[in-house]
Amino acid sequence: MDPIRQRRRLLVALFATAVSTQSPSPLLLRYTDALDLGALVLTLFFAAYAVGLVPSLLLAGPLSDRDGRRRVVVGGVVAALACTLVLIAADAGGVAFLVAGRVAQGLASGAVFTVGTVWLRELSGGDDDGAPGRVRRAAAVASAAMAAGFAVGPLVAGLLVQWGPAPELVSLLPSAVLLLVGLLGLRGVPETMTDRRPGRLALGVPPVARRAFWAYLLPVGLTVYTYAVLSLTVFPLLVAGAGFDAVFALVGASALLVQGSAALVTPLAAKLGPAVSGPLAAVLAACGCGLGYLAVQPGGWPWVLPACLLIGLGEGLGMTSGVAVCDRVAPPDRRGALLSAFYLPVYAGFVVPTVLALVSGDALRGGVPILVLGAGGLLLGLVLAGPGRAALRAAGATTAVPPVPPRVVEAAPEL
């Protein structure tokens, strides 16, 4: 099969998994409202997703380093399809099905996102085969595909929950169909991990990348979903409490802005390079929190949209620069393990709303904890601009994607 078609098929699987991951968000908000479960329970649904992610992120990359990329990604897509069906059945199974489905969804998506990104990079060729620009852009393309899925999923589901018939049933059907298409497409994508590592799994951060991980990858990972998940939980809950009615549609529109802007900004992240993109991501997230504080005040709901735009731009810059650094500082046989380690702080952000709800209590209604989270973003920016940039300089990973020959420029968009 044509290599371009192989990469496109893998991108479809990444996109479909991302759609299925975020499509339940408006439905979870609806169940919370219909069953009078409260803000804490809604945030726990997102924390349950993170609980499933942790073991998946720890094991999926190293497992693929040992046993191959294809086996892990195909298994993850199959599991994501099964999880979607479980969530569709939650209308009959209740809260237990919602929690179980979200935990299992974390397990499945963590494997697909981590290993699928590495697989796409390897399908794009090696730096010595005449296509270095295309290889280096693979991280940005993978991030864009996932961000687009994160945007489209909750938007379509939010519209169906707000105005569609039988929302518990129909809101997740598009996700199930896309996953099936993605699974069928993977049949023609070849394995790339031909030189496999026998024996035990090689877990954790490789020694050569430890300084870059602690000084750059950890803080830049915290700029991604720590702030993006506010658009799916804290913002809509507080805006609804302030009197806004069409909250399910607002969740979809907010997710579209966050993830759509994250997808669109990935080429800029590749041009700026990690040394600039990382600190800028933190500053944008902090500014988004400032606008988010205005949004949750009575009558301030229109501020949700620009807040989500800034947060989304920060997410795209942070995710793309982090994946690019993983690719540059890890040896080939430890790339999956390092990317898994990077995704741990990335997806730890799903727990933040639960922590905010538990720690702040009634103070959350006024929005002050959102400002505190914004201050944390500024602190992350200082770490990334100081120790983080120094670590990148030591690893030789500060530069942007370099110019490439015309032949490669023409091939790059066909990833």
Side-chain angles (χ1 to χ4, degrees), residues 159-167 170:
L159 295 175
L160 291 173
V161 169
Q162 187 75 54
W163 294 296
V170 303

Side-chain angles (χ1 to χ4, degrees), residues 110-266:
V112 175
F113 296 154
T114 304
V115 181
T117 300
V118 177
W119 197 8
L120 180 68
R121 188 262 186 219
E122 292 169 347
L123 285 170
S124 299
D127 288 348
D128 57 353
D129 71 350
R134 188 174 63 212
V135 171
R136 294 186 179 111
R137 287 189 178 90
V141 174
S143 297
M146 291 185 288
F150 293 149
V152 171
L155 175 64
V156 173
L159 295 175
L160 291 173
V161 169
Q162 187 75 54
W163 294 296
E168 294 86 352
L169 175 63
V170 303
S171 61
L172 299 184
L173 284 180
S175 300
V177 173
L178 273 175
L179 284 169
L180 184 59
V181 172
L183 181 61
L184 294 175
L186 288 176
R187 291 183 303 173
V189 183
E191 177 61 70
T192 56
M193 195 63 185
T194 54
D195 184 16
R196 302 182 185 179
R197 176 191 296 273
R200 295 183 300 174
L201 297 180
L203 301 176
V205 179
V208 70
R210 283 175 183 166
R211 181 181 177 186
F213 177 81
W214 292 109
Y216 187 90
L217 291 174
L218 175 62
V220 85
L222 292 174
T223 69
V224 182
Y225 293 138
T226 296
Y227 298 91
V229 77
L230 295 176
S231 66
L232 302 175
T233 54
V234 175
F235 289 172
L237 281 172
L238 298 185
V239 166
F244 186 75
D245 292 331
V247 66
F248 306 123
L250 182 64
V251 169
S254 298
L256 177 65
L257 271 174
V258 171
Q259 305 302 339
S261 59
L264 291 175
V265 82
T266 52

Side-chain angles (χ1 to χ4, degrees), residues 288-353:
C289 285
L291 296 182
Y293 172 77
L294 299 177
V296 302
Q297 306 307 310
W301 70 266
W303 287 105
V304 168
L305 303 181
C308 290
L309 177 63
L310 292 182
I311 288 173
L313 293 172
E315 176 195 323
L317 291 172
M319 177 70 88
T320 303
S321 59
V323 173
V325 168
C326 288
D327 186 68
R328 297 186 196 188
V329 303
D333 63 347
R334 296 296 304 277
R335 214 171 264 138
L338 181 58
L339 194 61
S340 290
F342 166 62
Y343 276 170
L344 285 175
V346 167
Y347 288 100
F350 279 88
V351 183
V352 169

Side-chain angles (χ1 to χ4, degrees), residues 53 56-57 60-61 72-73 75-76 106-117:
L53 275 168
S56 180
L57 294 175
V72 176
V73 173
L107 286 166
S109 61
V112 175
F113 296 154
T114 304
V115 181
T117 300

